[in-house]
Amino acid sequence: MPTSAAPIIEITNLKKHFNPPDGPLAVNKISMAIMAGEIFSLLGPNGAGKTTTINMMCGLLTPTEGDVIIAGHSVIKEPLAVKRALGVVPQELAIYPTLSARQNLVFFGKLYGLGGSELNKRVDEVLEFTGLTERAKDPIEEYSGGMKRRVNIGIGLLHRPQIVFLDEPTVAIDPQSRRNILDAVKELNAQGTTILYTTHYMEEAQELSDRVGIIDHGSIIALGTQDELMQQVGEQDTLVFCVPDVPDEFIDTLGAIQGVNKALHVDDEIRLLAKDGRTVLPDAIRLINEAGLSLQSVEVHEPTLEALFLHLTGRALRD
Amino acid sequence: MKPVIIIALNDTLISVKERATFLTGLLMPVLMMVLLGVAQGGNDGATITIDVIDEDGSKLSTQFVDLLTDEMQGEQDAFRVCAYHSDTAEDCDLPDDIADTPGDWRSTADDRLEKTDTYGAIIIEDGFGDHLRAGDTTTVTFKNSGNLSAPTLAQQKIDAAISRMSGSVAIANLTVGIAEETFAAFDPNSPERAAAFDSVLDSAETAWQDRPITVNSQSTKEQVSRSGFNQSGPGTTTMFVLMMALSAASILVYERKAGTLQRLYTLPIAKWQIITGKLLSCYLVSALQFIILIGVGMLMGVEWGDNIVGLALVILIFPLTSTALGLALATVARTSAQASSLQLLLGLTLAPLGGAWWPLEIVPDFMKTIGHISPIAWAMDALQEMMFYDGTVIDILPMLGVLLGMAAVFFAFGVWNFKYE
Ligand SMILES: Nc1ncnc2c1ncn2[C@@H]1O[C@H](COP(=O)(O)OP(=O)(O)OP(=O)(O)O)[C@@H](O)[C@H]1O
Ligand SMILES: [Mg+2]
């Protein structure tokens, strides 16, 4: 991957306090850098502050405090210069449903300053890239959810931006469309585009990212390459027991087993973080049986970002 | 400036693709124009029905009726003459057997006057012919319903017929008199005198046919009817143009909710360019709608007047005021549903207040004053000044000035109150 050591984005003390003093503190003094050529994922649960951060970075929201320097320009002082370097793909579909994909692309392309044969060429290329060439002339309201998402993404790529922000581009779509989008993101990155990708799916962050920032309640609680992050969890395994109808007190019983660092109850699952999963497993199974609960399956995971989040917050990434 | 045009054209494309634009922008106003226009009398100025009751039935009275018909149904078809003894005119709606029941004629006429089936009735009483022949004076009775918007015009036509008749009769009597003095006196009731009289009368009538003096009428304008389509045309047009421009509000609020407005903010263009582009599209669409509705109105007989420059100025300025009001509205509405209902509310209050549904002449003075908070009132004033009073551009400058002033106030409020985030 063409990652270089030079930061192309520098965020300093970025803060957003909506409707102060009683409104939510959505982003709480974030500072971090994104390197030219990397895929950087911002991973966090719903309401963590991902969208708010991205919106401040692209000049859509005015920060309460702090600044972001993108490609050498301050988003506060030179918003237009920053916007020229950026392609932004918003979380919500921001397209005109009665127009066709081509009409949408042509419209936004013109506003990005493209024109003439250059515009047509780019529109064709983006349609090809997003796999929409055949349906390009149909109104978008007749598209499937996945196709709409792809138009939404394509618009942000028209002007060949140096940097692309993708805000949860795979929310609520089928596995196949998600696969296409993830592959497209990798290809875009391979062409040299720096990518900031937000998600609450740890699998996506794991598959795509050079580096990951984990955000929770408006703060970055961990940041680094995946290896660096895994070291923070230590050599821990995650044990996942599928057991219906577990009383909450029982989780504490499991947490008391020698070698278990954290125990958590998510839906029908019990999750245990343990230094050595294999030594803990027999005890856990015995206790579940003694409590008269029906154990349906057991899995042992290698350390994951999910486990890191659990380790850091005591909560699951998705709840 | 280029992004403004790109955005304006794109928004215009979107609203032209939208079927609702045609329904609420063109179909509804045309329907309303027709309904209100017909309810307020259509183009009633065109034909006014006048009944004629000839109780005399003599040669002279028949001649008089012919003269009257001739005068009244002249080139312009302004009147429709319904003679009871020979129901020949179309659309008179007289009873079928009217010619055979002279005893009922007067009560029929009173009835029709009361129901305003007719606007006036001319009664020629028995003995009309005999009196004239004998050189005596006689009278005809003209009853009018009081609803006649141009009673003087009808009166003039009747007077004209009477002078012509009186002239011929006087000539006939004079000529016969001179003949009697020169030759020998007729027995007053002899058929010889009647024959001589008739022959002179005929000659006189024939001579009248080619009038020795005719009026070369050069009045600048026909009297323009102030009701019917001439009220409903400008009324519904201004109302729906206002409503169309107010949709700027729901578009802006909708796009804020849908996220397309935010996406535009992430592009390398200034925010004022984005908002201006959106407003420009609303302005263009409503100005275009204005032009189309004026054309449709024309087809239905609305007389917009001859002041093309003045009309063009109203077409340019009134949508501007309305769009500015739309922007102001967009800054107070939180959801697009809110924006749409505010849009409807404003449209449905400002239109009647401003005289779009009925003429402001018929409302009390204080309502007329209050009504002028509505931009529609000023647009209607300007349009009617040109339609009814041959208003020049100078005459409508005050109204245009007020509309521009209102536009400035609404824009200022909108820009000051606009939330970008
Ligand atoms: N315009 C706003 N006004 C007030 N509060 C807001 C606004 N936008 C976001 N918030 C609040 O800020 C916090 C962060 O929201 P944000 O949308 O950034 O989260 P997110 O990480 O993008 O979540 P998701 O994964 O659901 O998209 C939330 O508590 C949210 O309620
Ligand atoms: Mg979000």
Side-chain angles (χ1 to χ4, degrees):
Chain A
M1 257 162 257
T3 311
S4 78
I8 193 166
I9 299 176
E10 282 173 290
I11 303 173
T12 27
N13 284 329
L14 196 62
K15 175 173 159 185
K16 184 69 189 183
H17 196 169
F18 285 110
N19 315 316
D22 302 323
L25 184 56
V27 174
N28 191 7
K29 297 219 170 193
I30 286 180
S31 294
M32 61 183 193
I34 295 173
M35 304 302 159
E38 75 173 336
I39 300 184
F40 186 98
S41 289
L42 206 49
L43 176 67
N46 292 130
K50 303 183 293 292
T51 301
T52 307
T53 304
I54 281 203
N55 285 350
M56 285 190 286
M57 292 172 73
C58 63
L60 201 50
L61 284 178
T62 314
T64 312
E65 271 176 38
D67 197 357
V68 184
I69 307 292
I70 294 178
H73 304 281
S74 153
V75 74
I76 292 172
K77 297 197 198 94
E78 308 157 87
L80 290 186
V82 166
K83 288 172 183 179
R84 268 189 284 273
L86 285 183
V88 180
V89 178
Q91 178 171 359
E92 307 294 336
L93 292 177
I95 44 186
Y96 294 100
T98 55
L99 301 184
S100 69
R102 179 174 286 279
Q103 283 170 322
N104 269 282
L105 289 170
V106 165
F107 168 63
F108 284 104
K110 282 182 185 164
L111 289 179
Y112 272 123
L114 301 175
S117 58
E118 166 77 358
L119 175 64
N120 286 331
K121 183 166 151 266
R122 275 309 287 160
V123 168
D124 288 340
E125 282 171 6
V126 168
L127 284 171
E128 191 67 46
F129 185 74
T130 51
L132 291 168
T133 309
E134 271 171 38
R135 300 288 302 274
K137 290 206 167 87
D138 298 342
I140 286 183
E141 55 198 357
E142 295 171 8
Y143 286 13
S144 72
M147 292 165 72
K148 288 179 188 167
R149 287 252 154 230
R150 282 184 266 157
V151 182
N152 197 43
I153 294 172
I155 290 169
L157 311 178
L158 278 165
H159 62 304
R160 294 184 185 283
Q162 270 179 282
I163 305 159
V164 173
F165 293 173
L166 293 139
D167 194 3
E168 305 205 36
T170 59
V171 161
I173 55 170
D174 58 287
Q176 194 198 334
S177 294
R178 166 188 294 204
R179 186 73 260 146
N180 290 339
I181 289 173
L182 293 181
D183 289 344
V185 171
K186 285 190 219 167
E187 191 183 330
L188 204 62
N189 179 246
Q191 293 166 8
T193 314
T194 306
I195 287 170
L196 172 59
Y197 188 100
T198 78
T199 181
H200 60 250
Y201 298 116
M202 64 101 187
E203 302 90 337
E204 291 186 0
Q206 242 163 353
E207 175 179 343
L208 291 175
S209 322
D210 299 307
R211 290 191 310 141
V212 180
I214 298 183
I215 183 169
D216 190 41
H217 294 307
S219 300
I220 300 286
I221 56 173
L223 190 151
T225 63
Q226 297 196 40
D227 287 346
E228 286 163 358
L229 290 175
M230 289 315 142
Q231 277 168 17
Q232 287 193 33
V233 201
E235 293 290 301
Q236 296 203 77
D237 293 328
T238 310
L239 279 70
V240 180
F241 301 88
C242 187
V243 187
D245 308 320
V246 183
D248 276 344
E249 316 85 67
F250 184 66
I251 304 298
D252 298 335
T253 316
L254 290 181
I257 299 172
Q258 180 97 48
V260 171
N261 291 329
K262 273 209 170 72
L264 194 81
H265 188 195
V266 184
D267 298 332
D268 281 351
E269 288 177 2
I270 301 168
R271 298 183 187 193
L272 302 181
L273 280 189
K275 193 104 198 139
D276 184 358
R278 276 156 302 169
T279 58
V280 171
L281 199 55
D283 282 344
I285 291 176
R286 182 176 49 80
L287 283 170
I288 289 170
N289 283 335
E290 280 174 11
L293 298 164
S294 73
L295 177 59
Q296 295 182 341
S297 68
V298 185
E299 289 171 37
V300 180
H301 295 286
E302 295 285 290
T304 59
L305 291 171
E306 176 90 42
L308 175 60
F309 192 79
L310 191 60
H311 174 73
L312 292 172
T313 65
R315 288 177 289 116
L317 203 46
R318 272 172 284 164
D319 40 22
Chain B
M1 208 49 206
K2 210 170 153 210
V4 175
I5 310 271
I6 295 169
I7 290 170
L9 290 181
N10 189 59
D11 274 22
T12 306
L13 174 69
I14 289 170
S15 52
V16 169
K17 277 185 146 217
E18 187 68 60
R19 196 169 302 156
T21 310
F22 290 94
L23 286 180
T24 57
L26 292 179
L27 199 63
M28 268 170 58
V30 169
L31 275 180
M32 193 158 162
M33 207 185 282
V34 171
L35 287 177
L36 279 180
V38 170
Q40 294 172 355
N43 261 2
D44 69 352
T47 41
I48 297 170
T49 304
I50 300 285
D51 288 7
V52 175
I53 300 174
D54 180 7
E55 293 179 338
D56 191 33
S58 65
K59 187 163 186 272
L60 282 171
S61 69
T62 313
Q63 250 172 18
F64 179 63
V65 173
D66 288 347
L67 278 177
L68 206 57
T69 310
D70 200 34
E71 285 292 340
M72 297 198 109
Q73 294 189 170
E75 308 102 58
Q76 283 121 19
D77 277 338
F79 295 89
R80 178 191 300 125
V81 175
C82 295
Y84 286 14
H85 60 279
S86 63
D87 178 18
T88 49
E90 284 170 31
D91 305 325
C92 280
D93 280 333
L94 290 168
D96 287 337
D97 57 348
I98 187 80
D100 307 322
T101 54
D104 297 338
W105 284 356
R106 286 194 184 219
S107 60
T108 305
D110 287 342
D111 228 33
R112 279 164 58 79
L113 282 169
E114 203 161 297
K115 290 192 285 184
T116 64
D117 287 344
T118 184
Y119 284 94
I122 295 165
I123 302 169
I124 305 162
E125 284 173 41
D126 198 16
F128 174 86
D130 289 346
H131 284 299
L132 288 181
R133 245 174 239 283
D136 295 344
T137 58
T138 185
T139 53
V140 293
T141 309
F142 176 54
K143 287 185 173 181
N144 78 59
S145 68
N147 281 1
L148 195 49
S149 55
T152 45
L153 191 60
Q155 199 87 52
Q156 280 166 13
K157 300 285 181 187
I158 297 168
D159 285 348
I162 288 177
S163 355
R164 226 168 114 177
M165 189 78 201
S166 311
S168 305
V169 168
I171 291 168
N173 272 323
L174 272 173
T175 314
V176 172
I178 291 167
E180 282 181 316
E181 269 172 33
T182 317
F183 305 106
F186 288 114
D187 178 344
N189 289 321
S190 68
E192 289 81 13
R193 188 186 188 278
F197 180 91
D198 284 349
S199 117
V200 181
L201 188 69
D202 281 347
S203 314
E205 253 316 303
T206 316
W208 273 109
Q209 296 289 322
D210 310 310
R211 302 183 184 199
I213 302 172
T214 54
V215 180
N216 178 10
S217 173
Q218 293 205 334
S219 88
T220 44
K221 214 174 177 186
E222 281 293 299
Q223 169 95 21
V224 174
S225 161
R226 308 197 51 171
S227 58
F229 289 123
N230 280 344
Q231 162 65 28
S232 79
T236 41
T237 299
T238 47
M239 166 174 166
F240 280 90
V241 167
L242 177 81
M243 303 264 271
M244 174 70 80
L246 286 186
S247 65
S250 32
I251 290 174
L252 283 172
V253 177
Y254 171 79
E255 286 209 32
R256 192 156 63 204
K257 288 282 166 213
T260 37
L261 199 59
Q262 282 87 336
R263 175 159 231 163
L264 290 173
Y265 291 161
T266 68
L267 302 184
I269 42 182
K271 283 173 183 169
W272 71 263
Q273 292 181 308
I274 295 165
I275 304 301
T276 310
K278 304 238 153 249
L279 295 178
L280 180 61
S281 149
C282 282
Y283 172 73
L284 289 178
V285 170
S286 47
L288 184 70
Q289 177 201 24
F290 206 158
I291 295 172
I292 295 175
L293 288 179
I294 284 180
V296 173
M298 246 176 200
L299 294 179
M300 288 195 287
V302 180
E303 296 150 277
W304 297 100
D306 311 319
N307 189 346
I308 306 293
V309 177
L311 199 56
L313 285 172
V314 177
I315 292 173
L316 287 178
I317 292 172
F318 179 64
L320 188 71
T321 314
S322 309
T323 309
L325 184 57
L327 171 68
L329 199 62
T331 66
V332 294
R334 287 231 195 82
T335 63
S336 51
Q338 241 177 37
S340 311
S341 28
L342 279 174
Q343 178 186 344
L344 204 61
L345 184 76
L346 270 186
L348 293 184
T349 49
L350 292 181
L353 267 183
W357 293 1
W358 46 75
L360 278 189
E361 278 98 71
I362 67 169
V363 305
D365 273 351
F366 78 97
M367 280 305 288
K368 206 181 294 181
T369 312
I370 294 178
H372 279 78
I373 61 166
S374 168
I376 287 184
W378 298 94
M380 289 289 282
D381 283 355
L383 289 173
Q384 294 183 334
E385 181 74 30
M386 295 186 290
M387 293 171 70
F388 304 144
Y389 309 109
D390 281 332
T392 62
V393 172
I394 307 279
D395 293 330
I396 63 166
L397 275 186
M399 297 86 163
L400 298 181
V402 172
L403 286 174
L404 281 174
M406 285 181 163
V409 171
F410 296 147
F411 266 123
F413 174 82
V415 168
W416 166 74
N417 201 33
F418 200 86
K419 294 170 206 71
Y420 282 111
E421 289 191 355

